[in-house]
Amino acid sequence: MALGARNWLARRTGVDTLLERMRERQVPAAGVTHYMGAMLVFLFLVEVASGILLLLPYRPDPANAHASLVAIVGRLPYGALIRGIHVWANHFFVALLIAHLCVTLLLRRFREPNELIWWSGLLLLAVGLGMAFTGSILPWNQNAYLQARVSSEMIGQGPIFGPWLKHLLRGGEDVTPWTLNHAFGFHTGVLPAATTLVIASHIAFVQRRPREEGVATIPAHPDFTARVAAVATLLLVVLVSLATFAPISVGAPADPREISTGPARPPWYFLFLHELLRAAPPRLLGVDSAKFILGALSLLGLFVVALPLIDRKGSRITLFVGSFVILIAILLTGHAVL
Amino acid sequence: MPFSDSLRRLLSAAALLSLAGAARAQPAATPPAGAPAVAAPEAADAGAPEADKKKRPERDANTCFTCHRTLSDKKLRVVAEEYENSVHRDERIGCVACHKGNPVDPTVQAHDRTMGFLVRPTHPQISAICGGCHEDPTFVRRFNARLGVDQRKLYDLSRHGKIAGAGDQNSPTCTTCHGSHAILRVDSPNALVNRRQAKELCAKCHGDKEYMKPYGLPATQPEKWQKSVHGKAFAEGHDKAPTCTGCHSPHAGTLPGTATVAALCDRCHQDERDLFLKSPHSRAFRKLGLADCVPCHGDHDVQRSSWLAGMTPDSACGKCHSKDEKPKKVAEEVARILTEIEADEKAVSAEVADARAAGLLVPDASYALDQLHTSRIRLIATVHTLDLRQLTDDANQAKGLAGEAREILTKARRDRQLERRGYYAAIAVASLLFVLLVAKSLELARRRRRSEP
Amino acid sequence: MGEDDPEGQGRRDFLGMAISGTATALGVMAVYPVAKFLTPRDDSGPKNATLGKVDLFLRGTSKKALVGERPVLVIRLEDGSFRAFSALCTHLQCVVGYSPERKQIECPCHRGVYSLDGQNVSGPPPRPLDVLSVAVVNGIVTVSET
């Protein structure tokens, strides 16, 4: 009967042709970036699924946002589980994004003909961080409000586009109910659509890459899919366990009048920047230190974007400099955490 | 049409301004020889009746002030300095208003007694002097339309006023509290009579044991109030909490017409008083000449009251009813009900907190807890009726709410247990799937290795 | 491709079936929480409402109120007593109203008519209106679900 169903589908859709193509397509057997990428796609799908479920009972206006979150977690059956999966998957997603980038950089895989893959990947990093940031505003608890304020202020210190980006993120000059609405619109509409498009193009670019010589490969189906499915299942088990046994607090509803209790801690992936800003003196080289640091980071970012054009041979310098920068970032983050 | 309206208003305003300007430009009266230069009379005085003019001499003709301000003797200079910052100076009420005399006539010596000048008005004279302006509504309302004019009348009816009028120099008069020269608006932060300093002001006499001895009054009230729930709330910044003037009228002591100060408790505690009036105590107290709230709650040292009911040595009921059977039973029942509901609320609150600590957020239970709390507060108010039936009904309602909260929590915990079981089942299946997939991957790898040469 | 390994083939088939079976089971297990999440039973919410002072509620008139999100109709009869019903017509949930002239409860959508006891008189409604209870507490009229 299963065979009959498969035939029925095969005649009407292209499923079996797709599977055949995948049997022929070869994937590097030990391509760590391929597995990371597959996990990222899986995590994205988990986020989309849990996100759609969460957006149904959520109210995106400041008066009701936190209350609706409390209702989801406290009153809706399995609401806490679904929200927990969504939040923990986000942490894994960002961690994996950064790791994927670092590995690709250190292996110097940005060289030709992979420029488009590199750039679409960087774009994915941007929208991924954008989704994480806008998502962290939605609970509209004390932490979310402070983050909306402080992070957008931080971004506003960036060069050239800084103030414009800050205006865009805030939905105005100041943090207002519009900020929450904007965050919601971006998080549930604009950014998921953009991410889907960029993921599709990223995978398409990867597919177009010519076969590398001397690299052991396996068929995309069933070998690669089996391995990916195994890791995905494991990841799912981890996510559900964390969501069940390590719930994340909903916090207290945002009260803009309340003085920030302690320094506003950004999410862990911004902690290195937070440390830099804290340790810096008020002025550096005659410029406001926040502007200086963000300017320097933007320059670094530009450099990373331009890497395929600058470092055509994938020299060791990139490896050393890259490792060094990554190490510094890890140390800063560790220092902030401890 | 709005435009012509505003145009009309603009023209009237311009007309008024030009008139005022013209009035100011009148030629000055020839100043009398020998006296300091005198400015022209203010336009505002132009239409005022004669008597008013005496009360408000032109500012620059206030020669008392200009002379005293330059004196080297500090004691004499300070009166001018104090006056300079006072509300009387702001309103251009001059020295003459209280001290009489004539500062304008150059032929008259300063402090000439023949002009009716009073260097230091005597104690009994003071309230009459202040009352001269402050009892006159037409006069007062020109400066402050909202200021009352009954202060002197109330003062005369009060104990302070009566014994001051009989010659007692120790009893306060207007200047004792308001100051003589440095008189500020009551709501000014530096005013001696500012509400925030009421206790300090009254305690100057009423907190002084020696001072109060001749009157047979204890000097404990200010301290008692400070330790009371009212005093503590006031110190924490709750401005609506009563200080001395909240219950004792600042000028009248006990307000005329009220039987006791306790009649004022219902300015804030209206529900409790209404309920009390329905109780058998209300009539009994009246017959015995007892004030309403005081026998149980105290007067100055009111504390939190939920422990008052019952027959323990500390309780209020025992003060009168230690030998009466029926009242004893009622008191014990009331105490029992209150303790039970309080214990219920504490228990439910702890359960909700425990649930939250375990990661179980149950907003419905928190809501029921809030309702329970409200119910308990209402119950405490209802105690004043001593109506056991009503109390038992209300208590049952509160217990119902506690039960509701507990039910919700139990259901939440049960749901979570079910979810956990589902979780373990799902994890088991997923782990199995993982193992199978790993086996499949290994199998596929083995196959490939075998098929490769 | 391994056709020369019949034992292996049997194992492969078993593995393949086992994987499909387990994956399907997992999928089904995931459906249950999602379904419960999307269709919760919501029996929370306020169970009563107040309608103001009893002296201001004239005889022979009606008032509408909301108990939670649900409209209710409260009628004070000529003899001073109260009747309260859910104002949702039992036909298709239009909101019914009281007609003082005809002394009956009417639904404007399809001309359903109920008596002053909430019983059906005419029209398409299949059941009587849900009854609520009214109490006068401290002079305030309160309607609550029974």
Side-chain angles (χ1 to χ4, degrees), chain A residues 70-71 73-75 77-78 217-219 222-223 226-227 229-231 233-234 237 240-241 244-245 247 250, chain B residues 358-359 361-364 416 418-420 423-424 427 430-431 433-434 437-438 440-441 444-445 447-448 452:
Chain A
V70 169
V73 172
R75 212 181 272 149
Y78 299 101
T217 63
I218 52 171
D223 299 60
R227 296 180 191 195
V231 183
T233 312
L234 186 63
V237 167
V240 172
S241 307
T244 308
F245 292 110
V250 293
Chain B
L361 210 68
V362 195
D364 290 338
R416 171 183 263 208
L418 273 160
E419 282 174 28
R420 284 286 159 84
Y423 161 79
Y424 290 122
I427 292 299
S431 310
L433 183 61
F434 174 67
L437 285 166
V438 168
K440 174 89 184 204
S441 308
L444 288 168
R447 247 199 301 154
R448 252 186 317 106
E452 269 157 33

Side-chain angles (χ1 to χ4, degrees), chain B residues 262-327:
Chain B
L264 283 166
C265 300
D266 73 346
R267 271 175 85 190
C268 305
H269 298 281
Q270 189 164 33
D271 276 345
E272 283 80 354
R273 183 126 194 283
D274 285 349
L275 292 167
F276 172 80
L277 290 175
K278 292 197 195 134
S279 78
H281 276 159
S282 162
R283 226 178 352 173
F285 281 17
R286 209 145 294 187
K287 255 204 237 162
L288 291 167
L290 290 172
D292 280 337
C293 319
V294 177
C296 299
H297 289 280
D299 40 30
H300 295 100
D301 54 354
V302 180
Q303 298 297 339
R304 291 212 173 276
S305 55
S306 48
W307 53 269
L308 278 178
M311 291 308 288
T312 60
D314 282 338
S315 70
C317 313
K319 279 197 217 148
C320 304
H321 291 297
S322 51
K323 303 268 174 37
D324 310 325
E325 275 312 305
K326 184 149 177 287

Side-chain angles (χ1 to χ4, degrees), chain A residues 233-269:
Chain A
T233 312
L234 186 63
L235 191 55
L236 191 63
V237 167
V238 170
L239 278 175
V240 172
S241 307
L242 281 169
T244 308
F245 292 110
I248 304 208
S249 139
V250 293
D255 185 0
R257 292 167 304 180
E258 216 173 276
I259 301 169
S260 331
T261 43
R265 290 258 293 211
W268 59 267
Y269 40 88

Side-chain angles (χ1 to χ4, degrees), chain B residues 164-296:
Chain B
D168 185 343
Q169 301 272 1
N170 284 334
S171 176
T173 178
C174 315
T175 50
T176 320
C177 297
H178 288 273
S180 37
H181 300 104
I183 301 178
L184 298 171
R185 293 213 151 78
V186 172
D187 49 16
S188 155
N190 293 323
L192 292 165
V193 294
N194 184 304
R195 235 186 126 246
R196 282 260 126 211
Q197 274 99 264
K199 180 239 171 191
E200 281 74 19
L201 184 62
C202 303
K204 278 215 184 86
C205 302
H206 284 278
D208 184 341
K209 249 203 319 202
E210 291 307 311
Y211 204 93
M212 287 289 113
K213 230 207 266 193
Y215 304 101
L217 287 173
T220 51
Q221 297 98 325
E223 279 313 303
K224 272 193 186 170
W225 172 83
Q226 187 117 61
K227 297 208 186 84
S228 75
V229 74
H230 290 148
K232 290 206 190 106
F234 191 76
E236 277 170 19
H238 295 281
D239 278 339
K240 296 254 164 66
T243 172
C244 314
T245 51
C247 301
H248 302 278
S249 146
H251 299 109
T254 305
L255 282 177
T258 55
T260 72
V261 178
L264 283 166
C265 300
D266 73 346
R267 271 175 85 190
C268 305
H269 298 281
Q270 189 164 33
D271 276 345
E272 283 80 354
R273 183 126 194 283
D274 285 349
L275 292 167
F276 172 80
L277 290 175
K278 292 197 195 134
S279 78
H281 276 159
S282 162
R283 226 178 352 173
F285 281 17
R286 209 145 294 187
K287 255 204 237 162
L288 291 167
L290 290 172
D292 280 337
C293 319
V294 177
C296 299

Side-chain angles (χ1 to χ4, degrees), chain A residues 47-220:
Chain A
E47 291 286 73
V48 169
S50 54
I52 290 176
L53 288 175
L54 286 173
L55 91 82
L56 290 175
Y58 172 76
R59 304 269 284 275
D61 58 278
N64 289 308
H66 190 263
S68 68
L69 179 63
V70 169
I72 290 172
V73 172
R75 212 181 272 149
L76 286 181
Y78 299 101
L81 176 70
I82 294 176
R83 185 212 171 214
I85 290 177
H86 196 80
V87 176
W88 277 109
N90 164 60
H91 287 307
F92 278 89
F93 184 73
V94 175
L96 209 50
L97 257 181
I98 296 173
H100 191 66
L101 168 68
C102 292
V103 168
T104 317
L105 175 74
L106 295 178
L107 290 176
R108 281 148 294 150
R109 292 264 180 84
F110 48 77
R111 283 174 295 150
E112 62 129 358
N114 298 346
E115 296 93 337
L116 284 183
I117 302 178
W118 178 249
W119 288 330
S120 58
L122 286 174
L123 198 54
L124 274 175
L125 179 67
V127 290
L129 286 176
M131 294 216 63
F133 174 66
T134 49
S136 70
I137 297 179
L138 295 182
W140 208 244
N141 51 26
Q142 205 53 22
N143 203 39
Y145 180 83
L146 283 174
Q147 251 188 62
R149 215 172 243 294
V150 175
S151 296
S152 55
E153 189 67 36
M154 213 160 63
I155 289 171
Q157 301 289 333
I160 309 171
F161 294 115
W164 181 81
L165 264 177
K166 169 176 150 188
H167 201 100
L168 182 68
L169 283 169
R170 285 191 175 184
E173 266 312 300
D174 203 357
V175 175
T176 62
W178 288 113
T179 314
L180 183 59
N181 268 86
H182 261 231
F184 182 70
F186 274 107
H187 188 79
T188 53
V190 177
L191 289 175
T195 314
T196 313
L197 285 172
V198 182
I199 289 180
S201 25
H202 189 80
I203 296 179
F205 296 145
V206 171
Q207 297 292 312
R208 301 283 303 174
R209 219 182 38 181
R211 264 278 279 289
E212 281 175 36
E213 303 298 315
V215 174
T217 63
I218 52 171

